Amino acid sequence: MKIKITKDGPYIVTGNIPLYNEIIACDEEGNTTGFKEKEKIDSSETYTLCRCGESENKPFCDGSHLKINFDGTEVVSKKIYEESLTTFETDKIRLDDAIELCDHSRFCQKNEGIRKLIEKGDPESIKIAKEQASNCPSGRLLILDKESGESTEKEYEKEIVILYDQGKDCEGPIWVKGKIPIESEDGDFYENRNRITLCRCGKSKHKPFCDGKHWMSPEMEYKFRKKWNLKDLD
């Protein structure tokens, strides 16, 4: 089982890895809250996933990258998590934060944000902070409870999920779960992560990983503000 990144082309998935669609759910104010409506996508033992964002057969590749001269150059370190990792601590909690993996799914922004919740330190705030870290599909966030020694990292089966962001009303990244190896076009492997998100719009500045560019255009920001009656984005 692995995901192979091809030069200026698609992701080649081998090993009969299950493929799903799933929605990033939100509340009545547009805040992300979890996931819903997971559905299996029919796929073969080996399949190719679009990386340029222009396929007419999404999530699968249809060769559109050749027509648009897609530049899929991988620009990040093979150790992006390790090299971007910072920590934020109180006497009860340690937050590990690898900010360069952020896919802007926004789970950490509700209730004043995950760091503010940790600073508050009361049981309910800590509970919400742990849920936020656990839901982060990119694997950017992890909380360690210093009293119990438990972390928010879940056990995942090996699977690939095509996300749709209900709050932003747009296609999201490819969510890779369960430590599926990701091989670069040069044959080296990225850090083997339990959860991480790959770009599928072709616009990320952190290729091959998602950086939220799928919704960060001025048009998308306006659409989001109008939909949820907000003056400004978070």
Side-chain angles (χ1 to χ4, degrees):
M1 289 185 174
K2 72 175 182 180
I3 299 171
K4 170 66 177 179
I5 302 168
T6 61
K7 180 175 175 57
D8 299 329
Y11 305 107
I12 300 177
V13 182
T14 56
N16 203 29
I17 300 173
L19 182 65
Y20 298 90
N21 280 318
E22 194 164 15
I23 294 174
I24 300 175
C26 66
D27 61 20
E28 64 279 0
E29 296 176 343
N31 299 303
T32 50
T33 57
F35 303 91
K36 67 178 185 178
E37 300 180 20
K38 186 175 182 180
E39 295 181 347
K40 185 80 164 57
I41 302 173
D42 290 336
S43 58
S44 56
E45 183 174 348
T46 297
Y47 52 90
T48 57
L49 295 177
C50 175
R51 189 157 72 100
C52 71
E54 298 298 324
S55 173
E56 296 294 329
N57 188 35
K58 294 177 183 175
F60 303 108
C61 172
D62 69 352
S64 291
H65 57 280
L66 298 172
K67 300 175 185 177
I68 66 171
N69 294 318
F70 171 61
D71 182 358
T73 303
E74 299 166 61
V75 296
V76 299
S77 167
K78 300 296 193 303
K79 297 181 178 179
I80 184 173
Y81 180 86
E82 175 184 317
E83 293 176 2
S84 67
L85 184 64
T86 61
T87 59
F88 174 74
E89 295 189 65
T90 66
D91 58 338
K92 298 179 181 179
I93 296 293
R94 188 187 83 205
L95 172 67
D96 290 347
D97 184 355
I99 191 170
E100 289 193 20
L101 288 180
C102 183
D103 66 353
H104 293 264
S105 294
R106 309 177 311 287
F107 285 102
C108 61
Q109 295 182 4
K110 190 178 178 182
N111 299 95
E112 301 181 272
I114 193 168
R115 295 198 179 204
K116 183 66 70 175
L117 288 167
I118 292 171
E119 287 177 340
K120 286 182 175 179
D122 61 276
E124 182 61 22
S125 294
I126 294 301
K127 178 184 177 182
I128 296 171
K130 287 181 177 180
E131 290 174 352
Q132 292 180 346
S134 180
N135 278 330
C136 175
S138 72
R140 168 190 168 181
L141 302 171
L142 182 144
I143 284 179
L144 176 68
D145 189 315
K146 295 163 77 170
E147 295 179 334
S148 68
E150 297 179 349
S151 81
T152 55
E153 195 67 29
K154 298 177 182 178
E155 290 291 331
Y156 286 117
E157 297 292 329
K158 286 181 170 58
E159 61 183 34
I160 295 173
V161 180
I162 307 300
L163 291 174
Y164 185 87
D165 190 327
Q166 182 184 38
K168 299 292 185 184
D169 193 19
C170 69
E171 297 176 345
I174 298 172
W175 189 12
V176 179
K177 303 160 70 173
K179 297 184 178 180
I180 298 171
I182 299 174
E183 183 183 357
S184 172
E185 66 175 65
D186 64 12
D188 289 337
F189 284 83
Y190 287 91
E191 295 163 299
N192 199 213
R193 305 293 304 156
N194 188 39
R195 52 190 165 128
I196 202 160
T197 48
L198 294 173
C199 173
R200 71 181 183 109
C201 70
K203 302 173 184 177
S204 175
K205 301 301 183 183
H206 286 167
K207 289 185 181 73
F209 303 115
C210 174
D211 68 353
K213 291 294 189 303
H214 52 275
W215 69 265
M216 294 175 71
S217 68
E219 293 80 10
M220 288 300 299
E221 291 182 359
Y222 175 78
K223 181 179 178 181
F224 180 68
R225 288 198 303 269
K226 184 176 181 180
K227 179 178 180 180
W228 301 106
N229 195 29
L230 301 174
K231 293 182 179 180
D232 296 296
L233 288 175
D234 290 334

